[in-house]
Amino acid sequence: MARTLVMGVLNVTPDSFSDGGRWVDADAAVARGLALVDQGADIVDVGGESTRPDADRVDAATELRRVLPVVEGLTARGVAVSVDTMRAGVAAAAVDAGATCVNDVSGGLADPAMLGCVAERGVSYIAMHWRGHSRAMAERAVYDDVVAQVCGELGRRRDAALAAGIAPQRLVLDPGIGFAKNADHNWAILRRWDALEELGFPLLLAVSRKRFLGALLASGGTPRPPHERDAATAYLSGHFAARGVWGVRVHDVRASADAVATAGRLGER
Ligand code: PMM
C-alpha cells in the first residue's frame, strides 16, 4: 500500500450528526461525492442510515432507496464507493451496483447474513467494534479495561469474518470511536493504537467531527460545533497516517488529504 487512503463521508440521511439532511436528494448527493473526489477522496463512503447515538433505525427499503441511486451515480463516473450499512441486503444491492467495499459498523453482528454475503461477493469489508444499536449504545459504554476489551471483541469479529470466507487481504478493522464509548474510552484507544495493530490487520481511523473532539475543544461548557472540529480531525489524520493507518474516514476531505500527504512526505527516507 502506497499511502493512507482518504475515505470521504457521504451521508444520504436526514439526521446524521454533522451532515444530516444536506444530501438527501440523489443528484445533490452524487455531486457532493464527486466534489469529495476533487478534494482528494480515494473512496466515497455512502450511508443511508444514521448511527448517531439515540438515532432510530430506518427500514431496509428506505435505506436502499436513499443509497442505491447514489452508489450507481458515483460508480458510473468511476468513483470507488464503499457502502456504510449493517444490512446484507443493502450491501448486496450496493455491490451489485458497483460498490467495492462494505463498511459495516456492526462488524457482522447486526445481520447474520452479512459476512457470508460479503465473502460471496469478494469485496473489501470494514468490520467495526460495536456493542449494539444507537439506542443501546450509551448504557453499554462500560469497560474494566477498554483497550483490552475492544481488542478482544474486535478480534472475535476478525475471526468470524475470516471463518465466513472473507479474504484476509480484503479485511479492515476499526475500533469504532464513539460507539458505546465515552470520551475517555476514545482517548484510551487512540493512545494505545499499538494494541489494535497487534490484531494484524489494516486499520481505519474514524474520528471525524465526533463528540469527544467537540468536548475537547469546548468553550465555556459549550461543545465546539461539529463543522468546527476539522482542524482536530485533520491533526489526527496526519498523526495516524504517519503510523501507517490504512485509511481515515472524514467529512472535510481536503484537510485530511493534505495532512496525509504531508505525513507521507515527512516520513520518506
Ligand atoms: N462512524 C459513523 C458512521 N460510519 N463507519 C466506520 N467504519 N467507523 C465509524 O466510526 C463510523 C462509520 C458515524 O459518523 P457519521 O454520522 O459522521 O457518518
Side-chain angles (χ1 to χ4, degrees), residues 142-153:
V142 180
Y143 302 86
D144 294 322
D145 178 340
V146 65
V147 173
Q149 285 173 269
V150 167
C151 287
E153 291 166 25

Side-chain angles (χ1 to χ4, degrees), residues 74 84 101 199:
L74 288 173
D84 184 344
C101 178
L199 291 170

Side-chain angles (χ1 to χ4, degrees), residues 4-163:
T4 296
L5 299 175
V6 178
M7 177 182 272
V9 177
L10 183 52
N11 287 319
V12 193
T13 55
D15 59 342
S16 288
F17 78 96
S18 112
D19 59 347
R22 296 188 63 189
W23 325 111
V24 275
D25 168 69
D27 291 337
V30 170
R32 171 66 179 167
L34 295 172
L36 293 176
V37 172
D38 271 351
Q39 290 161 24
D42 300 293
I43 313 166
V44 174
D45 189 37
V46 180
E49 176 175 32
S50 173
T51 49
R52 70 178 163 75
D54 285 332
D56 285 319
R57 292 215 68 188
V58 297
D59 59 84
T62 303
E63 189 187 350
L64 204 54
R65 189 163 4 95
R66 289 175 181 172
V67 156
L68 211 53
V70 182
V71 173
E72 282 167 355
L74 288 173
T75 56
R77 289 165 179 81
V79 175
V81 169
S82 63
V83 60
D84 184 344
T85 185
M86 294 180 255
R87 289 190 169 106
V90 174
V95 169
D96 293 345
T100 52
C101 178
V102 174
N103 173 24
D104 176 4
V105 298
S106 83
L109 289 171
D111 184 339
M114 179 63 100
L115 298 178
C117 162
V118 172
E120 195 179 291
R121 284 174 169 73
V123 292
S124 298
Y125 183 64
I126 300 170
M128 196 191 84
H129 175 261
W130 186 81
R131 282 187 162 188
H133 289 288
S134 295
R135 292 215 167 271
M137 227 149 63
E139 70 199 37
R140 296 187 187 165
V142 180
Y143 302 86
D144 294 322
D145 178 340
V146 65
V147 173
Q149 285 173 269
V150 167
C151 287
E153 291 166 25
L154 190 55
R156 286 194 279 284
R157 302 323 302 156
R158 169 200 60 195
D159 296 344
L162 297 173

